Amino acid sequence: MSQVTLIIDGKPITVEEGTYLYDAMRELGIEVPAPCRYPFLAPRPVCRLCVCEIYEGEGPSKIVTSCNYPVKNGMVVHTDSQIAKEARKTALINLIQRCAPNRTLAELSLDMDISHPEWGHEHCTCIFCKLCIRACDELVGAHALSFQKMGKDDTTPIKLDAEKCIMCGACAFVCPTEHIKMEDDCDRALSHRDLRLGPNAAITLSFRQAVPNVPRIHAEDCIHFAIGGCEVCSEVCPKECIHYDDQDKIEEFDVGAVIVASGFNDFDPSVMKQYGYGKLPNVVTALEFEKMNNAAGPTGGKIVMENGREPRSIAILHCVGSRDQNHHKYCSRVCCMYSLKFAHLVKEKTDAEVYQFYIDMRAAGKGYEEFYQRILDEGANIIRGKGAEIVGCSRDRCKEGNLLVRCEDTLIGKFREVPVDMVILSTALEARKDAKELAHTLNISTGADGWFIEAHPKLGPVSTTTDGIFLAGVCQGPKDIPDTVAQGGAAAAQAMKLMNSGEVLLDAAYAVIEDSLCSGCRICNGLCPYSAITYDENTKISHVNAAMCKACGTCVAACPSAAISARHFTDDQIYAQLEAILS
């Protein structure tokens, strides 16, 4: 494409032919107001605030709208000439005289020395730029907006077809005067349970430390996947990385080892009705509080209640779902320490009082007990007694807090009611719902609580009963970050050891099948827990893979024709051992 050279406010610039004058000015860092312009829609000079004075070499200079005027070779442009400023000021006065006060035009009026703008409407802030309608039609493809006649007392000329609207918010996003807003019908306050980690958009990073650290499109929120419109993200991507027609696919790899690090699920406290999670405001889980406290989170790291105010007091309840006969009997190990961390962060960021309700303080780890002492020194209130119930405060105590935590203080032997503004539930770590399905696929075992079982709790803490499959992290049981990192390193070392050894030593004992006795009934195939027995369709008999067999004896006991025996563990060998013992 050919290049065009022009001069803007005395600065030469070379751009591609067909570039609009407004874009060329922005490349030089020269800004002119253009509220009716959106980069993904064809420009239409409605507001005429982007005007500038140009001279094209012949005839007198002229005033043009820069947003839709293509550059020409040798063009001389003045954005700050007196005639351009006056034209811009006149256009702004015309806009002001037909709409209600709004922040966008008010700020522009100050920049253009219009000290007393004469607004022409009491209610309607629309400047009739049609950006909202064009975005709905051309970008989204919903065709839900149109203009209608309006009277003096009407608040908007925009007509909405509710049946076509998909609530994407594109119209509100492009509106230059905030005339269109997305509001809840019930006008309710923001709920902590609605907060997301990161921006509320269809294309986001999963979280800041995600691997791979690249954005992903949430198809359920994306306009394109809803009705086939938009595609803005693909237009702005310089590497053309976005492909809407990509499909999930299954790939198979031959590997030498498998490390299972499938993680855990966070316990859902809504089943514990006594805590009011999901019904009472400002009762949040530890994970939700962590998101709120994150500097990249939806509140910018501020600790606030649902009404946006800073809490005066916060209660932190330990062991929610842990050490509980009705839910999980085990200790989740991490709850005590992250609850203490929350107390420290609250004290650091707010002036709120902090109350910790615990059963036993389990601070077992390097520096953990010292941190517990630090929290005590910072003034946190430590109450030994599990929170029994959370209710709303009565009218006579609402000045002290919105919520009432009831518990028995076992150190003083009294029943207590503590009024607070916010409650954080330190929820249990629990095994993933699909853990048993994955265990079946990998031929490993799970315990009663759903955690994967290691080969030996002391001698093989990262190994499993299936050679070549190792465990790392919380999928094996609740543990904190240092233990998880250590176990991950150990699992990686074991996998490398297995793959680099070249040869693998097998146990001497394994099952063998006598071909002449095998009837091909296949009973052993379905019973083998290690999938070590296969059936040969040609010979109509079964065979044992010695590398996979663990000599458990299941197939030996089940074979109706006694065709299977355990090598180095035959009946004759056992009889010989017994005779030697008794002789």
Side-chain angles (χ1 to χ4, degrees):
M1 186 174 289
S2 60
Q3 302 290 307
V4 173
T5 301
L6 66 156
I7 299 175
I8 304 177
D9 290 346
K11 301 177 182 178
I13 183 175
T14 300
V15 296
E16 293 183 354
E17 186 179 7
T19 301
Y20 290 124
L21 185 54
Y22 179 85
D23 297 319
M25 291 189 295
R26 286 180 62 88
E27 287 192 27
L28 287 175
I30 300 173
E31 298 286 344
V32 293
C36 71
R37 185 179 188 273
Y38 184 64
F40 302 107
L41 293 172
R44 292 182 184 175
V46 177
C47 71
R48 302 190 65 82
L49 293 178
C50 64
V51 295
C52 58
E53 183 183 8
I54 67 168
Y55 178 73
E56 296 179 327
E58 296 181 359
S61 63
K62 57 182 178 180
I63 295 295
V64 298
T65 50
S66 62
C67 68
N68 70 326
Y69 199 86
V71 297
K72 296 180 181 178
N73 200 40
M75 177 188 292
V76 178
V77 182
H78 298 284
T79 65
D80 56 352
S81 65
Q82 187 61 34
I83 187 173
K85 290 180 179 179
E86 290 296 330
R88 213 170 288 148
K89 187 174 182 178
T90 301
L92 179 60
I93 292 174
N94 290 334
L95 290 176
I96 290 174
Q97 288 178 346
R98 64 179 181 180
C99 70
N102 61 84
R103 183 177 62 181
T104 302
L105 299 188
E107 291 176 352
L108 289 175
S109 65
L110 292 176
D111 294 337
M112 298 184 192
D113 296 327
I114 302 177
S115 56
H116 300 288
E118 298 179 0
W119 303 98
H121 202 286
E122 294 182 4
H123 308 291
C124 180
T125 57
C126 180
I127 60 173
F128 299 87
C129 65
K130 296 187 178 180
L131 270 182
C132 56
I133 297 176
R134 295 177 59 204
C136 188
D137 293 346
E138 300 172 28
L139 281 182
V140 179
H143 306 286
L145 298 179
S146 60
F147 268 146
Q148 63 181 353
K149 291 183 179 181
M150 59 176 296
K152 185 177 181 181
D153 296 329
D154 292 337
T155 59
T156 180
I158 309 297
K159 182 181 179 181
L160 172 67
D161 188 336
E163 293 184 357
K164 295 181 179 180
C165 180
I166 62 172
M167 296 297 292
C168 65
C171 54
F173 181 79
V174 301
C175 182
T177 63
E178 299 180 354
H179 176 70
I180 300 179
K181 298 179 180 179
M182 298 289 290
E183 294 181 350
D184 196 295
D185 289 339
C186 301
D187 194 26
R188 65 175 173 84
L190 176 67
S191 171
H192 289 140
R193 293 179 296 282
D194 295 336
L195 298 181
R196 293 185 180 181
L197 181 59
N200 185 8
I203 180 167
T204 61
L205 287 169
S206 298
F207 53 95
R208 296 187 69 178
Q209 291 82 25
V211 179
N213 195 16
V214 294
R216 64 179 292 264
I217 296 177
H218 303 274
E220 63 275 11
D221 299 323
C222 180
I223 296 173
H224 176 77
F225 289 101
I227 57 175
C230 195
E231 299 188 4
V232 170
C233 55
S234 63
E235 293 181 25
V236 300
C237 181
K239 300 293 185 180
E240 299 181 354
C241 300
I242 299 175
H243 306 283
Y244 299 109
D245 56 351
D246 274 358
Q247 299 292 326
D248 292 337
K249 59 182 179 180
I250 297 175
E251 296 186 5
E252 295 184 1
F253 300 93
D254 292 328
V255 298
V258 175
I259 297 177
V260 183
S262 54
F264 65 98
N265 284 343
D266 191 36
F267 176 75
D268 182 7
S270 60
V271 298
M272 304 182 74
K273 305 298 183 182
Q274 66 269 31
Y275 294 143
Y277 177 76
K279 295 183 178 180
L280 294 175
N282 301 309
V283 178
V284 301
T285 65
L287 185 59
E288 289 170 339
F289 182 77
E290 189 74 44
K291 291 179 181 179
M292 185 197 313
N293 190 65
N294 192 297
T299 64
K302 297 180 180 179
I303 300 173
V304 294
M305 298 185 293
E306 291 189 355
N307 59 12
R309 298 179 182 177
E310 185 179 290
R312 297 165 296 177
S313 54
I314 296 178
I316 304 175
L317 273 60
H318 294 221
C319 299
V320 176
S322 299
R323 304 179 65 189
D324 191 316
Q325 295 294 324
N326 298 319
H327 300 285
H328 300 302
K329 298 178 182 180
Y330 55 81
C331 171
S332 292
R333 290 185 60 181
V334 300
C335 309
C336 286
M337 295 313 299
Y338 76 60
S339 297
L340 294 176
K341 181 192 75 170
F342 288 164
H344 171 71
L345 293 174
V346 171
K347 284 292 186 182
E348 185 178 57
K349 293 187 174 184
T350 72
D351 296 325
E353 283 290 327
V354 180
Y355 298 90
Q356 298 258 358
F357 297 85
Y358 72 101
I359 303 175
D360 297 299
M361 191 63 68
R362 298 187 171 183
K366 185 177 181 180
Y368 288 5
E369 187 67 26
E370 290 83 351
F371 185 70
Y372 173 42
Q373 188 60 47
R374 177 180 175 181
I375 299 304
L376 293 175
D377 296 338
E378 289 179 352
N381 301 286
I382 310 297
I383 301 174
R384 189 177 187 274
K386 186 175 181 179
E389 185 182 20
I390 301 172
V391 297
C393 260
S394 57
R395 183 174 299 179
D396 59 330
R397 301 194 66 179
C398 62
K399 293 182 179 180
E400 302 176 66
N402 301 315
L403 301 168
L404 202 64
V405 180
R406 293 171 175 169
C407 75
E408 180 185 2
D409 192 332
T410 59
L411 293 180
I412 61 175
K414 289 185 177 181
F415 175 77
R416 296 183 62 174
E417 291 184 341
V418 181
V420 295
D421 284 334
M422 182 187 293
V423 175
I424 304 170
L425 304 178
S426 299
T427 49
L429 309 185
E430 61 182 14
R432 290 179 57 90
K433 305 301 182 184
D434 57 356
K436 290 187 177 181
E437 180 181 351
L438 180 59
H440 178 74
T441 302
L442 299 175
N443 287 326
I444 59 179
S445 303
T446 60
D449 294 317
W451 306 110
F452 295 124
I453 298 177
E454 64 279 3
H456 192 281
K458 295 181 180 179
L459 303 180
V462 299
S463 302
T464 64
T465 52
T466 300
D467 290 341
I469 297 180
F470 306 97
L471 304 175
V474 187
C475 66
Q476 185 257 339
K479 57 179 62 69
D480 59 7
I481 294 174
D483 290 345
T484 298
V485 173
Q487 191 176 25
Q494 291 288 347
M496 292 174 62
K497 174 184 175 182
L498 179 65
M499 292 186 291
N500 293 335
S501 60
E503 295 180 353
V504 178
L505 296 177
L506 301 178
D507 291 337
Y510 59 87
V512 292
I513 297 178
E514 182 66 39
D515 293 352
S516 60
L517 299 177
C518 180
S519 63
C521 65
R522 306 189 195 183
I523 293 176
C524 56
N525 296 60
L527 292 176
C528 181
Y530 304 101
S531 302
I533 305 178
T534 57
Y535 181 75
D536 190 338
E537 292 288 348
N538 295 324
T539 61
K540 304 300 181 182
I541 59 176
S542 296
H543 296 280
V544 176
N545 186 334
M548 300 175 65
C549 180
K550 296 300 178 184
C552 65
T554 303
C555 57
V556 177
C559 183
S561 57
I564 309 177
S565 60
R567 190 165 181 250
H568 301 301
F569 206 67
T570 63
D571 291 346
D572 293 338
Q573 290 172 322
I574 295 174
Y575 290 145
Q577 292 176 6
L578 292 174
E579 290 175 358
I581 294 172
L582 297 174
S583 62

